Amino acid sequence: MINLFPIKHYKIALSHRSYAEENGGENNERLEFLGDSVLQLCVTELLIDELKEKDEGVLSQARHQLVNNTLLAEIALSIG
C-alpha cells in the first residue's frame, strides 16, 4: 500500500503555530489552508446536488453559512 500522506505530514497537521515557534519546525497553517479548500469543495459538490435549481449566488451564500468557524467549532465540540 502506498502512503500518500507521510507521517511527517500528520505531525505538521497537529503542530500549532505557537508550538512550532517555540520548538522549531513547521506548523499546520499550510495544511489547514488545504483542508479548508477541500472542505469547501466537498460542501460545494453537495450543495450543487441538493440545490439543483439555484444559481451560484445562492450556492455561494449557502456554502458560506455552512463553512464558517462558528458552525465548524460547534460541530467539532459536538463530536468530541
Side-chain angles (χ1 to χ4, degrees):
M1 183 168 129
I2 298 173
N3 185 357
L4 298 177
F5 200 68
I7 193 70
K8 71 176 187 170
H9 289 129
Y10 289 106
K11 289 179 181 178
I12 294 168
L14 297 172
S15 297
H16 190 267
R17 179 179 54 205
S18 61
Y19 177 86
E21 288 174 358
E22 291 176 11
N23 298 287
E26 295 181 69
N27 64 54
N28 63 356
E29 290 181 354
R30 289 176 52 85
L31 292 175
E32 185 178 347
F33 174 75
L34 174 62
D36 290 348
S37 298
V38 170
L39 179 60
Q40 284 199 24
L41 176 63
C42 293
V43 169
T44 299
E45 184 176 7
L46 291 170
L47 289 172
I48 285 174
D49 288 343
E50 292 296 317
L51 305 175
K52 293 181 182 353
E53 304 300 319
K54 303 297 182 184
D55 65 26
E56 68 276 4
V58 172
L59 294 170
S60 180
Q61 184 61 34
R63 183 182 61 204
H64 175 71
Q65 291 174 355
L66 293 170
V67 182
N68 68 71
N69 289 344
T70 303
L71 180 61
L72 294 176
E74 289 175 14
I75 293 169
L77 288 172
S78 73
I79 62 176

